[in-house]
Amino acid sequence: MAFANEERKRISEIAKDSWYEKPTALATIRYSFDIFRRFMKDDDKILEMGPAEGTMTKQLIEAGCDIECLEGSPEFAEILRSKFPDLKVHVALFEDWECEPTYDVILLGHVLEHVDNPPAILSRAKNWLRPGGQIVCSVPNCRSLHRQAAVIMGLMETEQDMSEKDVHHGHRRVYSPETLRADFTKAGMTVDFFGGYWMKPISDGQIEEQWTPEMLEAFMKLGERYPDIAAELVIVASDK
């Protein structure tokens, strides 16, 4: 009970001052949708976990996807309901929610870096999948070029250090390719695809001051060529 109360309070504080709709964050979420869409079929039943203000949710709805959302923040849930009146939004901590095997695809876009025990969340979520279903996940990558540069410049001691943005969003960890794979393995899942996107050489603030939309799009694509040092990691996994 104490954990649940503290977690609800923590999530509510994050929701009060979200940075997810800043320009670079929006571009990142929108590009991740393009990658996630590759692993969805037209008739899939989809659960989006932790949708926040619903940037990806909007894209899913516009693409005609059969989607429901699971959101731990009542504040974000109200935003979702106001934007998408017909959307089914479940409001609960991931640790508390239960359902039958209902979904073909579960989306975890920038979720695992927030939660207390990622393998436990994955172990729960895989039980909500229909046979043959998959979890599609993205997280920030500690080996991103901009983090490596920050260490060289003395702005961070290690690549795993929390940035101002990490702290603001309530991140509990910064994943590497190895630690992300390990959490799926601990949850008893098989990694079917590993990749990345967003070759990010400098900070969000510098990008927003200097870059054109065409540059952002090009560097998003470049990250797919070099996933180990891209800013974002992607895993698709199944319970096999």
Side-chain angles (χ1 to χ4, degrees):
M1 182 63 72
F3 169 79
N5 289 336
E6 285 300 314
E7 193 69 358
R8 290 188 188 98
K9 180 180 177 182
R10 193 178 76 89
I11 293 170
S12 290
E13 287 300 315
I14 293 167
K16 288 176 184 176
D17 184 21
S18 169
W19 293 355
Y20 296 124
E21 292 193 322
K22 291 193 173 185
T24 304
L26 282 175
T28 305
I29 296 168
R30 287 168 179 157
Y31 194 85
S32 68
F33 168 78
D34 292 339
I35 293 179
F36 284 12
R37 193 74 177 90
R38 299 169 195 172
F39 301 96
M40 304 176 206
K41 298 188 291 295
D42 289 342
D43 60 348
D44 280 345
K45 179 77 173 179
I46 297 165
L47 177 68
E48 184 185 10
M49 295 175 64
E53 293 97 339
T55 298
M56 185 176 290
T57 312
K58 183 175 186 288
Q59 292 175 280
L60 290 160
I61 291 171
E62 288 176 348
C65 297
D66 183 4
I67 173 181
E68 297 178 1
C69 291
L70 174 59
E71 175 54 59
S73 161
E75 293 85 357
F76 280 143
E78 283 305 306
I79 293 171
L80 290 167
R81 286 167 173 157
S82 67
K83 287 182 176 179
F84 316 112
D86 296 328
L87 175 67
K88 190 170 186 177
V89 181
H90 307 277
V91 186
L93 295 179
F94 304 152
E95 292 86 352
D96 296 338
W97 198 60
E98 299 279 359
C99 83
E100 297 299 315
T102 303
Y103 304 101
D104 301 295
V105 177
I106 295 176
L107 304 180
L108 292 166
H110 280 213
V111 166
L112 293 185
E113 66 269 27
H114 291 266
V115 300
D116 180 60
N117 187 334
I121 297 298
L122 291 169
S123 293
R124 291 179 67 82
K126 74 180 183 181
N127 294 324
W128 308 335
L129 289 169
R130 293 171 177 164
Q134 293 181 307
I135 289 177
V136 184
C137 166
S138 65
V139 298
N141 180 14
C142 75
R143 296 221 185 99
S144 173
L145 282 182
H146 79 289
R147 282 183 169 269
Q148 294 193 51
V151 172
I152 292 170
M153 290 187 291
L155 302 176
M156 300 169 66
E157 288 189 12
T158 74
E159 295 162 0
Q160 289 81 14
D161 287 356
M162 293 289 177
S163 67
E164 178 188 5
K165 186 170 71 171
D166 291 322
V167 173
H168 182 85
H169 283 314
H171 294 177
R172 286 182 159 117
R173 63 196 58 79
V174 187
Y175 276 102
S176 69
E178 293 78 16
T179 57
L180 183 59
R181 286 177 178 273
D183 275 355
F184 277 86
T185 300
K186 289 174 188 174
M189 301 196 74
T190 298
V191 174
D192 301 317
F193 171 83
F194 169 83
Y197 63 97
W198 189 198
M199 187 62 67
K200 180 181 177 183
I202 53 179
S203 72
D204 285 3
Q206 292 168 312
I207 289 165
E208 287 161 12
E209 286 178 4
Q210 303 169 17
W211 284 29
T212 65
E214 292 77 15
M215 292 171 69
L216 257 178
E217 179 73 11
F219 277 80
M220 292 286 173
K221 291 180 179 178
L222 274 173
E224 293 200 56
R225 299 184 184 182
Y226 310 101
D228 282 351
I229 57 172
E232 306 289 332
L233 298 173
V234 176
I235 270 184
V236 180
S238 54
D239 185 17
K240 294 179 181 177

